Amino acid sequence: MYMLLYAISMLLFGSISPISQDCDNTLSGTVIDLHDSSVLSGALLIVAGTEQAVQTDVDGNYTITGLCDGTYSIQVSHPYCLTQGYTVKVSGNTSKIFRLEHHLEELNEVTIKGETYQREAKTIFKNKISTEKLEDFSNGSLGDALNSLSGVSSLNTGNAVVKPMIHGLHSSRVVIVNNGVRMEDQEWGAEHAPNIDVNSIGNLTLIKGAGALQYGGDAVGGVIVADALKVPVKDSLYGKTLWNLASNGRGSSVTSQLTKSFQNGWYATAQGTVKRYGDFETPDYVLSNTGIFERSASLHFGLNRFKYGLEGYYSFFKNEIGILRASHLGGASDQLAAINSDRPLVIEDFTYNIAEPRQDVTHHLARLKMFSRFDGLGKLSLQYDFQRNNRLEYDIRVGDDADKASIDLELDTHTVLLDLDSDLTDEINLKTGLMARYQTNFADPTTGIRRLIPDYDKYDLGGYAVADYDMSERLLLEVGARFDYTYMDAFKFYRTSTWESRNYDELYSDIIVEETGNQILTNPQLSFYNASATAGATYSFDDEYKLFFNYSLASRAPNPSELFSEGLHHSASRIEMGDLGFKSEVAHKVAMTFERKNQIFSFSISPFINSINDFIVIEPTSIEQTIRGNFQVWEYRQTDALLLGFDLDASYAFTENLRLDHQFSFVKGYDRSREEPLISMPPVNTKNSVVYQNPKVNNLQLALQSEFVFRQNEFPNNNFEVYIPQTETNEIVDVSTSPDAYHLLNFNSSLDFNISPKSQLTVGFKVTNLLDNSYRNYLNRLRFYADELGRNYLLNLKFNY
Amino acid sequence: MKKIKLLSAMLLAGSLFISCSDDDDSTPAIVNEEELITTVKVTLSPEGDGADITLQLQDLDGDGSDKPVYTVSGSLAANTVYDGSIVLLNETESPAENITLEVEEEGDEHQFFYTVGTGLDLTTEYADLDEDGNPLGIEFTVTTGEASTGTLTFTLRHEPKKPNDDTLNDAGGETDVEASFDIEIE
């Protein structure tokens, strides 16, 4: 395109020699980078028709002498930039700044380096997972990929529902940003996995703290930012296909993507994944009904220009997940029998069928964004996104209802974001923005089961400002604040008995809409005002050592589950109770990181302390008799919590080819009101691996990883007694005691083959749980009923083209 | 110009989305639990003379806060044979839904179990079969011994192992109903 322009301009002006009497004018100025205004030294300027050529000096300055009045064509080139032609009108001594597109050096790299995502806090140490690392988890889930980082664990429901947990916090306390869109996928449920295909992500950034004020101030636990890969501005067509085969689950996943880009800035990427697994297995038995069938596709297109740009993204994600058959229980006596048995009470032959209980979740996400740069103002962007999440949960039901879902929720979310990113001075950058969101939840009454989450409409309005200041080359300061207003308008049916026993008839009699039979329809309208803030500093001692310090204030409005739960939660086989009177959770977190980056020995140590007021926990309070037997009642309550711990990462290179990697994570969580430990806190764990790499032998990589998870010895005692008629005894149902410590060995290897100059094949072979150990994981909600997965052989082929 | 067009197109699309999803103001429909068993009614009819004895467990709010209510109409006579039958009802519906019919229909997936507490001198026996010829237990007989007291528990299991040795431990499955009555034999 530019070349064409240049050719035309050459034709038009270059051939016509300017005729003028006064020919001692100079043209001078600088050549700078279009993107960051950095000066470009060594740029070559050729004046067409005069054969004159000059180069810019170290400051990017140039001077061309002996020009006449008139119009000249000037070609500007630089080793790292696209060569461009300009027409310049010279009249007397003229000055001109040339801006070059500084892109070429990025094109030659597979991953584009640089800060592709600058909106998060700069004073929090961030962990990143690169594309190549993500490809290792192509057959797994987002939670599995994140779990490879220190300080991240996962709260599992079986092996397929994997929820990321950051510094001991999960669900509504972890914000996931998928391609610039905050995921709204009913994340409140502990058994709801994020609806993202790990293959649709270019790179993944983890912020252990409330560091992304642009997307909300309620990330008490942390923020996970998933981004698409940046597409280069050039004419190109490339893609990749990954194929995985796994022995455990006897399944496979295929993912493929193709990108077409043009030099004029237009680009499009299409991607799709299919994943299918049957029942997984422990070393000793089949985990009946644990299959997965996942399908997803995404389309990404846009126009990438310096002055303005446009981006569109659509993704579709559908996942069917079987829930371990043996975890489906009647009352507490069934629970006792299941816990006391070493093996699951239902073990059937291997099958690919996914029967009840199961989840079937569909998530649509669409996003449109555009930006424009205005001189003196900055980069203004406007984004609209829409998400539709449909969650179906099927329980084992009888008779006419056998094939009906027990939960059928449809959550629609519309968000409009307006952001302004402006450089006030060379040192100070200010980002401001406004957000408006409308969300509506529809719980289908045809399930024939009382709604777990009621119908509601929710409106959010938010505004933020974040400024960072480069005080010196070594010190960066950052401050930010955000304010959010949330209004929730719900329609909730309460059982008359519950309504009265909780004293709601006196507290909230004004919200009753109508009374029918033994149920009362209410219309709670709730408002929350949340302030959040962040302040921090980053100091570089020298090229190797760096210190990050960050304080963040996060506040989170209670979610619908915490407010409105009332009744039996089948999948947890317990009765859950929310509270209409909850206020927002407010967290103060201080995090520090001391980092050394060095070729031989690198490390980072990150201690943190998080004090959360009005922390919402769910805990057992009593036993309730029903016709199905006794159930434990779990009530949400607010308390003050304290979480603290540290993450340690270290890497030591013995030789160029041999490296030792170390990770250690330590988290403690306490309920300060009750003076007891918090439930579901990750146990202390450490990962150590020996990695051998030889670029000369087809980029051979061999890695042996040892993973040791200590026993969680701090947990609250939530055990309860239940009367068993058969034995006429009261038995203790042990739902508290943590499983033993365990050790796993994993092996990973890969080889690259160049098939043609433009295509490469990578063959990988992996074994997880090499020793086929039987173990149970404290953070797996189904740990009472079955062991974790046994040995798994994985073969993966990656074809880049 | 192009940008402005796009902007307006986007805003239009946005407002369309919003207006589509705007529900009307009608209130949501009530859900009465369909599979709910609110009432277990056991009738014991003495073979020969005498009045029926009924044992009833009623919990009209299901897993709500109200406790289930147990009523036993009288005591059993010693050394007597009773024909027993069980009726399960969902009384939140009007007229009450008879859930026993459903259990009967899917007899191969269900079984009632009778657990006799220590001290209570009686024996039970199945009096009906499912389609595969295994005990189902909606109909049964109770033979009382000498005067005594203790609990008699009725448990309905869903998807038990069939056939089994007629004990809960062997059968497995999931509990649909668990009702323990205090019984007196005079």
Side-chain angles (χ1 to χ4, degrees), chain A residues 136 690-692 698-705 746-752 762-768 794-797:
Chain A
D136 270 1
V690 187
V691 183
Y692 176 80
N698 289 78
N699 201 19
L700 171 72
Q701 295 211 35
L702 296 170
L704 189 67
Q705 188 197 48
N746 303 312
F747 171 76
N748 200 350
S749 63
S750 74
L751 277 173
D752 291 349
T762 305
V763 180
F765 176 67
K766 205 156 102 167
V767 190
T768 58
L794 296 120
L795 179 72
N796 54 72
L797 300 175

Tab-separated table of all heavy atoms in Angstrom, chain A residues 136 690-692 698-705 746-752 762-768 794-797:
chain	number	residue	atom	x	y	z
A	136	ASP	N	0.832	-26.535	26.187
A	136	ASP	CA	0.993	-27.737	27.005
A	136	ASP	C	-0.315	-28.153	27.666
A	136	ASP	O	-0.492	-29.291	28.064
A	136	ASP	CB	2.007	-27.475	28.132
A	136	ASP	CG	3.410	-27.822	27.700
A	136	ASP	OD1	3.576	-28.230	26.541
A	136	ASP	OD2	4.326	-27.675	28.523
A	690	VAL	N	13.597	-30.584	36.848
A	690	VAL	CA	14.872	-30.567	36.142
A	690	VAL	C	14.528	-30.509	34.665
A	690	VAL	O	13.762	-31.332	34.172
A	690	VAL	CB	15.669	-31.856	36.417
A	690	VAL	CG1	17.058	-31.749	35.827
A	690	VAL	CG2	15.723	-32.138	37.895
A	691	VAL	N	15.071	-29.509	33.990
A	691	VAL	CA	14.740	-29.337	32.573
A	691	VAL	C	16.018	-29.413	31.746
A	691	VAL	O	16.992	-28.710	32.020
A	691	VAL	CB	14.062	-27.969	32.337
A	691	VAL	CG1	13.642	-27.810	30.891
A	691	VAL	CG2	12.863	-27.796	33.257
A	692	TYR	N	16.013	-30.270	30.750
A	692	TYR	CA	17.135	-30.348	29.821
A	692	TYR	C	16.657	-29.861	28.473
A	692	TYR	O	15.594	-30.250	27.988
A	692	TYR	CB	17.640	-31.795	29.706
A	692	TYR	CG	18.741	-31.945	28.673
A	692	TYR	CD1	20.051	-31.596	28.971
A	692	TYR	CD2	18.450	-32.421	27.395
A	692	TYR	CE1	21.046	-31.704	28.029
A	692	TYR	CE2	19.434	-32.536	26.434
A	692	TYR	CZ	20.735	-32.178	26.755
A	692	TYR	OH	21.723	-32.277	25.797
A	698	ASN	N	17.160	-30.856	17.407
A	698	ASN	CA	15.735	-30.618	17.163
A	698	ASN	C	15.031	-29.948	18.345
A	698	ASN	O	13.878	-30.250	18.642
A	698	ASN	CB	15.017	-31.935	16.849
A	698	ASN	CG	15.412	-32.454	15.497
A	698	ASN	OD1	16.483	-33.023	15.358
A	698	ASN	ND2	14.574	-32.228	14.513
A	699	ASN	N	15.746	-29.054	18.981
A	699	ASN	CA	15.184	-28.353	20.135
A	699	ASN	C	14.601	-29.320	21.168
A	699	ASN	O	13.512	-29.123	21.695
A	699	ASN	CB	14.114	-27.360	19.666
A	699	ASN	CG	13.872	-26.287	20.697
A	699	ASN	OD1	14.715	-26.062	21.575
A	699	ASN	ND2	12.726	-25.644	20.621
A	700	LEU	N	15.362	-30.350	21.444
A	700	LEU	CA	14.923	-31.383	22.387
A	700	LEU	C	14.676	-30.781	23.764
A	700	LEU	O	15.468	-29.992	24.261
A	700	LEU	CB	16.001	-32.470	22.480
A	700	LEU	CG	15.814	-33.524	23.572
A	700	LEU	CD1	14.671	-34.459	23.226
A	700	LEU	CD2	17.093	-34.306	23.776
A	701	GLN	N	13.568	-31.155	24.361
A	701	GLN	CA	13.284	-30.732	25.728
A	701	GLN	C	12.870	-31.942	26.534
A	701	GLN	O	12.007	-32.701	26.109
A	701	GLN	CB	12.121	-29.745	25.733
A	701	GLN	CG	12.429	-28.450	25.033
A	701	GLN	CD	11.681	-27.294	25.650
A	701	GLN	OE1	11.470	-27.262	26.853
A	701	GLN	NE2	11.281	-26.353	24.828
A	702	LEU	N	13.489	-32.090	27.692
A	702	LEU	CA	13.116	-33.171	28.592
A	702	LEU	C	12.929	-32.542	29.961
A	702	LEU	O	13.760	-31.756	30.399
A	702	LEU	CB	14.234	-34.218	28.688
A	702	LEU	CG	14.596	-34.998	27.428
A	702	LEU	CD1	15.872	-35.795	27.656
A	702	LEU	CD2	13.449	-35.937	27.058
A	703	ALA	N	11.849	-32.861	30.624
A	703	ALA	CA	11.631	-32.285	31.951
A	703	ALA	C	11.026	-33.325	32.872
A	703	ALA	O	10.131	-34.072	32.487
A	703	ALA	CB	10.711	-31.076	31.854
A	704	LEU	N	11.562	-33.371	34.066
A	704	LEU	CA	11.005	-34.246	35.083
A	704	LEU	C	10.566	-33.345	36.231
A	704	LEU	O	11.359	-32.547	36.738
A	704	LEU	CB	12.059	-35.252	35.550
A	704	LEU	CG	11.527	-36.359	36.462
A	704	LEU	CD1	10.580	-37.275	35.693
A	704	LEU	CD2	12.683	-37.180	37.036
A	705	GLN	N	9.305	-33.453	36.578
A	705	GLN	CA	8.775	-32.563	37.606
A	705	GLN	C	8.284	-33.350	38.814
A	705	GLN	O	7.629	-34.373	38.675
A	705	GLN	CB	7.607	-31.756	37.038
A	705	GLN	CG	7.138	-30.684	38.007
A	705	GLN	CD	5.767	-30.167	37.661
A	705	GLN	OE1	4.843	-30.936	37.420
A	705	GLN	NE2	5.625	-28.848	37.638
A	746	ASN	N	5.927	-36.055	37.252
A	746	ASN	CA	5.428	-35.846	35.896
A	746	ASN	C	6.604	-35.755	34.938
A	746	ASN	O	7.653	-35.220	35.281
A	746	ASN	CB	4.633	-34.539	35.819
A	746	ASN	CG	3.489	-34.518	36.793
A	746	ASN	OD1	2.717	-35.459	36.886
A	746	ASN	ND2	3.396	-33.438	37.561
A	747	PHE	N	6.416	-36.248	33.744
A	747	PHE	CA	7.477	-36.212	32.743
A	747	PHE	C	6.959	-35.500	31.505
A	747	PHE	O	5.809	-35.662	31.104
A	747	PHE	CB	7.896	-37.646	32.399
A	747	PHE	CG	8.827	-37.726	31.228
A	747	PHE	CD1	10.158	-37.371	31.378
A	747	PHE	CD2	8.374	-38.142	29.979
A	747	PHE	CE1	11.019	-37.426	30.288
A	747	PHE	CE2	9.226	-38.200	28.889
A	747	PHE	CZ	10.555	-37.838	29.048
A	748	ASN	N	7.823	-34.702	30.899
A	748	ASN	CA	7.415	-33.934	29.730
A	748	ASN	C	8.560	-33.901	28.724
A	748	ASN	O	9.711	-33.709	29.118
A	748	ASN	CB	7.087	-32.510	30.182
A	748	ASN	CG	6.213	-31.795	29.191
A	748	ASN	OD1	5.988	-32.280	28.077
A	748	ASN	ND2	5.710	-30.642	29.582
A	749	SER	N	8.277	-34.112	27.459
A	749	SER	CA	9.348	-34.056	26.467
A	749	SER	C	8.795	-33.540	25.146
A	749	SER	O	7.611	-33.682	24.865
A	749	SER	CB	9.942	-35.450	26.257
A	749	SER	OG	8.963	-36.311	25.750
A	750	SER	N	9.662	-32.939	24.344
A	750	SER	CA	9.229	-32.507	23.017
A	750	SER	C	10.388	-32.370	22.049
A	750	SER	O	11.534	-32.168	22.452
A	750	SER	CB	8.449	-31.194	23.107
A	750	SER	OG	9.318	-30.129	23.363
A	751	LEU	N	10.097	-32.483	20.786
A	751	LEU	CA	11.066	-32.355	19.696
A	751	LEU	C	10.442	-31.516	18.589
A	751	LEU	O	9.258	-31.665	18.296
A	751	LEU	CB	11.386	-33.735	19.103
A	751	LEU	CG	12.425	-34.625	19.771
A	751	LEU	CD1	12.421	-35.974	19.090
A	751	LEU	CD2	13.811	-33.997	19.707
A	752	ASP	N	11.242	-30.651	17.973
A	752	ASP	CA	10.742	-29.837	16.855
A	752	ASP	C	11.310	-30.358	15.542
A	752	ASP	O	12.496	-30.692	15.470
A	752	ASP	CB	11.189	-28.378	17.009
A	752	ASP	CG	10.510	-27.699	18.177
A	752	ASP	OD1	9.549	-28.293	18.720
A	752	ASP	OD2	10.949	-26.600	18.549
A	762	THR	N	5.925	-30.039	16.012
A	762	THR	CA	6.449	-30.330	17.341
A	762	THR	C	5.756	-31.583	17.849
A	762	THR	O	4.530	-31.671	17.838
A	762	THR	CB	6.174	-29.168	18.313
A	762	THR	OG1	6.714	-27.981	17.738
A	762	THR	CG2	6.803	-29.410	19.662
A	763	VAL	N	6.570	-32.540	18.269
A	763	VAL	CA	6.009	-33.771	18.803
A	763	VAL	C	6.295	-33.793	20.294
A	763	VAL	O	7.444	-33.624	20.710
A	763	VAL	CB	6.649	-35.009	18.130
A	763	VAL	CG1	6.053	-36.290	18.702
A	763	VAL	CG2	6.449	-34.961	16.632
A	764	GLY	N	5.275	-33.968	21.078
A	764	GLY	CA	5.455	-33.969	22.527
A	764	GLY	C	4.938	-35.249	23.140
A	764	GLY	O	3.949	-35.825	22.672
A	765	PHE	N	5.602	-35.671	24.184
A	765	PHE	CA	5.136	-36.840	24.916
A	765	PHE	C	5.214	-36.512	26.390
A	765	PHE	O	6.210	-35.972	26.875
A	765	PHE	CB	6.010	-38.054	24.571
A	765	PHE	CG	5.640	-39.285	25.359
A	765	PHE	CD1	4.417	-39.902	25.149
A	765	PHE	CD2	6.499	-39.808	26.324
A	765	PHE	CE1	4.063	-41.020	25.889
A	765	PHE	CE2	6.159	-40.919	27.068
A	765	PHE	CZ	4.929	-41.527	26.842
A	766	LYS	N	4.159	-36.846	27.093
A	766	LYS	CA	4.036	-36.402	28.475
A	766	LYS	C	3.454	-37.540	29.303
A	766	LYS	O	2.611	-38.294	28.808
A	766	LYS	CB	3.041	-35.233	28.461
A	766	LYS	CG	3.165	-34.255	29.566
A	766	LYS	CD	2.571	-32.923	29.137
A	766	LYS	CE	1.204	-32.681	29.699
A	766	LYS	NZ	0.725	-31.308	29.560
A	767	VAL	N	3.901	-37.674	30.525
A	767	VAL	CA	3.259	-38.616	31.440
A	767	VAL	C	2.965	-37.859	32.723
A	767	VAL	O	3.855	-37.236	33.295
A	767	VAL	CB	4.165	-39.821	31.786
A	767	VAL	CG1	3.364	-40.885	32.530
A	767	VAL	CG2	4.796	-40.415	30.545
A	768	THR	N	1.739	-37.896	33.171
A	768	THR	CA	1.443	-37.294	34.460
A	768	THR	C	1.166	-38.420	35.457
A	768	THR	O	0.734	-39.492	35.075
A	768	THR	CB	0.232	-36.338	34.388
A	768	THR	OG1	-0.888	-37.065	33.916
A	768	THR	CG2	0.477	-35.173	33.459
A	794	LEU	N	0.242	-38.871	27.532
A	794	LEU	CA	-0.293	-37.917	26.575
A	794	LEU	C	0.661	-37.735	25.395
A	794	LEU	O	1.859	-37.542	25.587
A	794	LEU	CB	-0.491	-36.555	27.230
A	794	LEU	CG	-1.511	-36.504	28.348
A	794	LEU	CD1	-0.854	-36.049	29.627
A	794	LEU	CD2	-2.641	-35.584	27.982
A	795	LEU	N	0.094	-37.774	24.232
A	795	LEU	CA	0.879	-37.530	23.028
A	795	LEU	C	0.322	-36.278	22.395
A	795	LEU	O	-0.900	-36.142	22.249
A	795	LEU	CB	0.721	-38.725	22.079
A	795	LEU	CG	1.472	-38.601	20.756
A	795	LEU	CD1	2.970	-38.750	20.986
A	795	LEU	CD2	0.979	-39.645	19.769
A	796	ASN	N	1.179	-35.331	22.058
A	796	ASN	CA	0.633	-34.192	21.335
A	796	ASN	C	1.472	-33.802	20.148
A	796	ASN	O	2.695	-33.872	20.155
A	796	ASN	CB	0.352	-33.010	22.266
A	796	ASN	CG	1.557	-32.622	23.062
A	796	ASN	OD1	2.488	-32.064	22.505
A	796	ASN	ND2	1.564	-32.943	24.345
A	797	LEU	N	0.780	-33.426	19.108
A	797	LEU	CA	1.409	-33.012	17.866
A	797	LEU	C	0.972	-31.583	17.595
A	797	LEU	O	-0.216	-31.273	17.656
A	797	LEU	CB	0.949	-33.892	16.704
A	797	LEU	CG	1.231	-35.380	16.819
A	797	LEU	CD1	0.615	-36.120	15.655
A	797	LEU	CD2	2.729	-35.635	16.872
